[in-house]
Amino acid sequence: MTTETTVIELIAREAKRPPEEINADTSLDAIGIDSLKAIVILAELEDAFGIEVPNEMVASIKKVGDIVGKIDELRLKKGPA
Amino acid sequence: MTRRVVVTGVGTISALGHTTAAFRDALAAGRSGIGPLGADAHGTRIGVGAVVRDFDPAQHFSDDDLPLLDRFSQFAVVAGREALKSAGLEPRSEAMLHAAAIIGTGCGGKQTDEETYARLYKEQKERAHALTIPKGMPSAAASMVSMHLGIKGPVFSVTSACASGAHAAAQGMLLIQSGLVDVALVGGTDAPFTHGLLRAWEALRVVSNDTCRPFCKDRSGMVLGEGAGMLVLESADHALARKARPLAELAGCGMSSDAGHITRPSVEGIARAIAKALAHAGIELGNVDYVNAHGTGTPANDPAETAALHQVFGEHASRLAVSSTKSMHGHALGASSALELVATVLAIRDGVIPPTANFTEADSECDLDYVPNSARRRDVGIALSNSFAFGGLNVVLAVRSV
């Protein structure tokens, strides 16, 4: 499963929307993911990928693609599992 | 001239049911909500409790709201909604824009905190649930009440163990008397049936394994309960202007502190709170008909409370009807004093004094009329609601018929 599929799946669940309606360009605001919900999603992603998302990254996340980008970046930094 | 404060709405959720109609019916029937804890005992030696049964949060809250609502917040909002409705007030209405909400809690969001602690200490995980803070903080219930009912005036939480709900009511009354607000939703909420909290109560050795028998010779301690009690307080002028029918007047409050022992009550401290409530309300002690006692059923409380009533009321003490409704709704900690204030208001409204249930034989040091086992039909002009918390924090509220 790619990072994007996992991220979209988690976001879809939190936003209570079908995953097909969500893509990298979807704005989190538009689907009702506020900062608190975003934090819940990030916690799950940290668990799923075994990474740590630094606090300063949180503010720059606006779109689904932003999360995917950050996760990939962090996974790369961490090296192969 | 201080402003008069009336009660225009009440709401409850407790082991006696999810509505105040169910609460009133159980009190009038002398039916206790105390029962075996079963799985809720979490393996402790605490065998009985007054649990809110058949409560399905999904019936009351959306999927979106639930992740932020600890059980103690759920109870507060459910009872708060009922209180507003019974007062004929709409959530988010103009009156709510300036209204206060003051919510007492003895424990706060223990369920949330303990789930996180179990994850960290027991499962050795390194991450707390992301919403632990906003869901578990002791003021979460007050915030959730304000958010769900659109109450936008002064909103905060007060905590004084078993007197929390009564202190909240006193605070709301004073805010109205001072002219700062016209309407205040006040009450208390607690949900203490969590593993850690039960272990802590078990260790303190004050919880009965039988049932709650206040003032009885064979009483064996308190029985924990849970739930919430909420009341809409209003300036008499504001209630009159919108043609709301007051259920009773909250006529005065007396507050004192023992400054003595952390768990042992003081007759002198209790007596001072009772005397202050009578003075604040301008009540002749011979006019008091009913006292809703703190009546925990512990060895220490019941004789001390009885002695304090003798000290303040003298000869009139023997003419008082005194009952402990904790024998039915259990000791719901921060919610208890609020549930008891509701019971007191209902006694005045309906002219029915709730009994002390589970009554066997009076203790030799407890020689008042405790209304054993059966409710009594009697007009109640003036009643007191007693609450005495661990730490020696005492509140007595005086309620008058209107």
Side-chain angles (χ1 to χ4, degrees):
Chain A
M1 211 192 285
T2 67
T3 309
E4 186 167 312
T5 342
T6 309
V7 169
I8 287 179
E9 211 169 77
L10 275 170
I11 290 177
R13 206 173 65 203
E14 192 67 26
K16 298 188 182 62
R17 280 165 191 261
E20 306 83 70
E21 283 180 17
I22 297 168
N23 58 50
D25 268 340
T26 308
S27 130
L28 294 174
D29 249 1
I31 53 171
I33 299 292
D34 60 12
S35 60
L36 206 56
K37 286 182 178 161
I39 285 168
V40 175
I41 292 167
L42 286 179
E44 291 190 49
L45 289 170
E46 285 186 327
D47 279 345
F49 294 113
I51 49 165
E52 234 177 89
V53 180
N55 286 351
E56 52 272 23
M57 276 195 182
V58 176
S60 60
I61 293 169
K62 307 280 179 226
K63 292 179 174 182
V64 172
D66 296 338
I67 297 185
V68 179
K70 301 284 184 208
I71 302 272
D72 276 338
E73 205 178 296
L74 288 163
R75 288 179 81 181
L76 210 62
K77 237 187 248 172
K78 191 185 149 211
Chain B
M1 176 79 192
T2 51
R3 307 207 302 167
R4 290 179 66 202
V5 177
V6 293
V7 180
T8 52
V10 289
T12 62
I13 177 163
S14 71
L16 301 180
H18 302 178
T19 64
T20 301
F23 182 70
R24 177 205 56 206
D25 290 350
L27 293 183
R31 192 168 63 240
S32 181
I34 295 168
L37 275 179
D40 291 321
H42 294 275
T44 65
R45 282 180 282 122
I46 296 177
V48 292
V51 177
V52 174
R53 297 285 180 202
D54 306 318
F55 178 70
D56 177 11
Q59 296 284 314
H60 301 272
F61 301 101
S62 72
D63 286 356
D64 261 356
D65 291 331
L66 274 176
L68 278 165
L69 284 154
D70 186 277
R71 189 167 167 93
F72 94 121
S73 297
Q74 295 172 18
F75 289 157
V77 175
V78 168
R81 278 179 188 151
E82 192 197 10
L84 270 200
K85 196 173 176 206
S86 98
L89 288 165
E90 288 290 325
R92 295 172 214 292
S93 60
E94 179 69 20
M96 293 299 99
L97 197 61
H98 308 286
I102 303 158
I103 310 300
T105 181
C107 308
K110 276 288 195 285
Q111 186 193 55
T112 302
D113 290 346
E114 288 194 19
E115 274 168 14
T116 284
Y117 296 154
R119 219 161 123 147
L120 300 179
Y121 302 144
K122 197 172 161 194
E123 294 164 31
Q124 300 285 307
K125 296 239 169 81
E126 285 183 355
R127 190 195 310 284
H129 189 280
L131 301 180
T132 304
I133 295 293
K135 190 179 173 190
M137 59 190 181
S139 55
S143 296
M144 285 297 151
V145 163
S146 85
M147 288 160 66
H148 283 262
L149 301 178
I151 294 176
K152 294 188 171 178
V155 174
F156 53 92
S157 206
V158 298
T159 181
S160 53
C162 315
S164 302
H167 270 118
Q171 188 63 44
M173 177 175 69
L174 297 172
L175 280 180
I176 293 172
Q177 284 188 338
S178 74
L180 272 178
V181 301
D182 284 315
V183 180
L185 180 71
V186 300
T189 184
D190 260 321
F193 289 103
T194 58
H195 185 185
L197 210 46
L198 284 179
R199 284 288 183 211
W201 280 107
E202 179 185 43
L204 199 59
R205 298 178 185 276
V206 293
V207 177
S208 168
N209 243 331
D210 168 28
T211 188
C212 177
R213 302 186 194 280
F215 307 108
C216 293
K217 200 182 206 166
D218 60 347
R219 69 188 184 283
S220 50
M222 57 183 271
V223 171
L224 288 167
E226 64 172 352
M230 295 286 155
L231 302 94
V232 174
L233 305 183
E234 215 168 329
S235 74
D237 291 342
H238 190 271
L240 190 70
R242 65 179 191 91
K243 298 188 173 63
R245 205 175 53 171
L247 308 173
E249 176 187 2
L250 186 54
C253 66
M255 296 184 263
S256 74
S257 172
D258 297 345
H261 193 273
I262 190 73
T263 55
R264 192 176 57 238
S266 135
V267 174
E268 182 270 338
I270 295 174
R272 271 191 299 125
I274 299 172
K276 277 170 187 284
L278 295 173
H280 186 227
I283 289 170
E284 294 283 334
L285 52 87
N287 292 332
V288 178
D289 299 304
Y290 169 56
V291 177
N292 186 301
H294 184 56
T296 51
T298 55
N301 175 82
D302 300 359
E305 187 167 12
T306 300
L309 288 168
H310 275 298
Q311 194 174 308
V312 175
F313 284 97
E315 277 184 11
H316 185 66
S318 59
R319 289 190 288 272
L320 293 169
V322 179
S323 71
S324 168
T325 49
K326 283 191 179 76
S327 56
M328 294 175 274
H329 53 64
H331 195 339
L333 306 176
S336 223
S337 48
L339 289 168
E340 288 156 28
L341 183 58
V342 172
T344 308
V345 167
L346 296 177
I348 287 183
R349 184 195 69 181
D350 300 339
V352 176
I353 294 178
T356 302
N358 313 318
F359 204 90
T360 49
E361 187 189 336
D363 186 285
S364 59
E365 289 181 82
C366 302
D367 57 355
L368 297 170
D369 170 9
Y370 300 110
V371 198
N373 297 320
S374 307
R376 191 175 299 162
R377 191 160 277 289
R378 169 174 165 183
D379 283 343
V380 181
I382 293 174
L384 302 181
S385 180
N386 284 353
S387 301
F388 315 127
F390 271 174
L393 315 182
N394 311 308
V395 188
V396 175
L397 298 163
V399 189
R400 185 158 41 202
S401 65
V402 284

